[in-house]
Amino acid sequence: MRSQPTDEARSILHYFFNKVHTPPEVPEKSYSYTWEIDIFVDKKVYKVGHKEVALAFGAVDFLQVRRTSSFAVPIQSARPQMFFQLNIHKVKPGFFEWQTTLSAYGDLWLILRKSVKRLGFTINDTGFHLRNPEIEAMHPKDCLLRLTADPKEMMQFLSLDADRFASGFTSLDDLFAWATSSRFFRRNCFEIDVKTQTNCNKKAKNDMYLAFRRDWLPQRPDVGLSVEEDDSSEAHRARLAEEALLRFDKRAELRRKVQCHRKRVKKDAMWRKIAKTVPREGRLLGMAMKALKDQMKWWDGVDPVPGLRESMVDAEIIPFVLENWKEAWNRYWLLK
């Protein structure tokens, strides 16, 4: 019963998109009469909008949230009339295999994300990333260095059997055993989570995750024990980072990223110092700073000053600002 509307939906969507994929679902999952189907698509065959898709499915309504469109589709044989929700996810260009892999088997990837997070890695919808601690401390949103967006490469690094994943899982036990076979899995990450009531409440609706955390893992006390004394240390994290940089050939890219970060830190420090120098406050200070940043374009783009020293800020930039901030104000605000 479950596969029939899914197969029909895929067949219809192949008229509109070159790539159509339904991720495998959680084994042993029970279904209610309120069906929900997720299908991932990529590369339109021709220009098509929501109305055309809704018409093809006979949908009575649709809703779009970012890259996902949801359609209320009637179940033809249901009496009284019932509907299933069809969610069509438009994959980011170039990430079809990656995103369809991460959507497989419910919250399998929630377990894996938690396993690698403490070690400085992040799994998200654009790839497997290394977080640089120097950048993360000041600019968390900019600290990610993508190592790969190839699922097999990531699984190999995590010591997960990619062929076993491709062959599929028929039981939760097989699925959980595969996830915990990663060399990075540690049970204490999930035991701490059990004690944190806030996290429990947030994930209370997730049956698969709760089955893993509260039932499957406690029944296997030997799974996920640390074999290294410094398993959670900064030194261990640094060693894993070096291993990842070498395997994925990302050392030069990280070096450039850190250099840009350090320039940004110096630039931010310079502007904070300038803000304390300009003889204005509140809204007027904000207007003055906006004018200065617009006029001092020499700092942006290709930086003609290889290294900004604090002595240079005090000796050259601050006197320049004091002498010219009014002119910058006039040029920006009066001539705008």
Side-chain angles (χ1 to χ4, degrees):
M1 291 178 64
R2 175 65 177 178
S3 62
Q4 184 178 354
T6 302
D7 294 341
E8 292 176 358
R10 274 201 305 263
S11 297
I12 293 173
L13 288 174
H14 271 297
Y15 286 104
F16 301 110
F17 300 92
N18 279 323
K19 293 184 178 181
V20 178
H21 178 79
T22 304
E25 296 183 328
V26 179
E28 305 170 13
K29 180 177 178 180
S30 60
Y31 299 99
S32 66
Y33 287 106
T34 306
W35 287 0
E36 187 171 355
I37 299 175
D38 292 280
I39 299 182
F40 290 75
V41 298
D42 189 21
K43 296 182 179 179
K44 293 180 179 179
V45 175
Y46 58 89
K47 189 175 181 180
V48 60
H50 292 94
K51 292 183 179 180
E52 289 81 2
V53 176
L55 182 64
F57 283 99
V60 297
D61 201 359
F62 64 86
L63 174 69
Q64 180 175 4
V65 179
R66 297 180 181 176
R67 301 184 68 87
T68 298
S69 302
S70 299
F71 298 83
V73 181
I75 300 174
Q76 299 298 332
S77 59
R79 295 294 182 272
Q81 189 173 34
M82 302 179 70
F83 300 84
F84 70 87
Q85 180 173 315
L86 173 64
N87 301 316
I88 301 177
H89 307 275
K90 295 180 182 178
V91 175
K92 294 179 180 179
F95 291 96
F96 190 79
E97 183 181 4
W98 178 262
Q99 290 191 10
T100 52
T101 298
L102 261 64
S103 64
Y105 300 111
D107 291 290
L108 164 66
W109 295 96
L110 173 60
I111 298 171
L112 295 174
R113 284 188 180 103
K114 286 180 64 64
S115 298
V116 303
K117 183 177 180 180
R118 66 188 179 88
L119 297 171
F121 299 99
T122 292
I123 300 172
N124 63 20
D125 62 348
T126 60
F128 178 53
H129 306 261
L130 173 68
R131 300 195 313 276
N132 177 264
E134 179 182 343
I135 302 175
E136 187 176 19
M138 299 189 69
H139 302 109
K141 293 182 179 180
D142 300 326
C143 72
L144 298 181
L145 174 70
R146 184 163 61 221
L147 300 172
T148 183
D150 184 322
K152 290 183 180 179
E153 289 183 354
M154 178 192 64
M155 291 179 195
Q156 289 172 357
F157 182 76
L158 301 182
S159 300
L160 291 169
D161 188 341
D163 292 334
R164 179 70 185 86
F165 179 87
S167 65
F169 304 98
T170 58
S171 70
L172 281 177
D173 186 63
D174 289 343
L175 185 63
F176 293 153
W178 181 84
T180 56
S181 68
S182 168
R183 61 179 174 139
F184 295 146
F185 179 82
R186 296 294 178 268
R187 65 183 304 114
N188 60 338
C189 296
F190 300 89
E191 290 171 345
I192 292 173
D193 195 43
V194 170
K195 298 174 185 178
T196 307
Q197 190 60 39
T198 301
N199 287 344
C200 287
N201 292 337
K202 287 181 178 179
K203 302 183 181 73
K205 297 180 180 180
N206 192 321
D207 294 338
M208 176 185 167
Y209 186 76
L210 291 177
F212 171 76
R213 193 181 58 181
R214 292 182 177 175
D215 301 326
W216 193 89
L217 193 59
Q219 293 172 12
R220 295 162 178 79
D222 296 332
V223 171
L225 295 177
S226 176
V227 295
E228 300 182 38
E229 293 182 1
D230 63 347
D231 184 64
S232 60
S233 68
E234 292 184 8
H236 182 64
R237 174 173 169 170
R239 286 195 296 271
L240 289 176
E242 283 300 312
E243 179 188 342
L245 293 172
L246 179 63
R247 173 176 292 206
F248 296 104
D249 192 21
K250 294 289 183 175
R251 186 173 282 110
E253 186 176 342
L254 178 62
R255 189 181 302 115
R256 291 192 295 270
K257 192 176 184 71
V258 171
Q259 288 174 348
C260 290
H261 164 72
R262 290 173 180 172
K263 284 187 176 184
R264 179 181 176 182
V265 170
K266 290 180 179 180
K267 177 181 177 181
D268 291 345
M270 178 193 76
W271 285 115
R272 286 195 298 271
K273 201 159 195 175
I274 289 175
K276 293 179 181 179
T277 302
V278 176
R280 290 291 183 272
E281 296 180 357
R283 177 172 172 272
L284 294 178
L285 175 60
M287 295 174 68
M289 294 300 295
K290 191 170 185 178
L292 283 167
K293 288 180 180 181
D294 179 77
Q295 296 297 309
M296 294 173 67
K297 294 183 182 297
W298 56 271
W299 179 263
D300 297 317
V302 180
D303 184 4
V305 185
L308 180 66
R309 302 180 302 276
E310 187 173 357
S311 59
M312 177 183 174
V313 175
D314 294 333
E316 300 179 34
I317 298 178
I318 295 299
F320 173 84
V321 168
L322 287 173
E323 183 178 348
N324 294 281
W325 74 269
K326 287 185 178 180
E327 182 180 351
W329 174 294
N330 292 333
R331 286 185 177 180
Y332 184 78
W333 292 109
L334 298 183
L335 301 180
K336 190 174 180 180

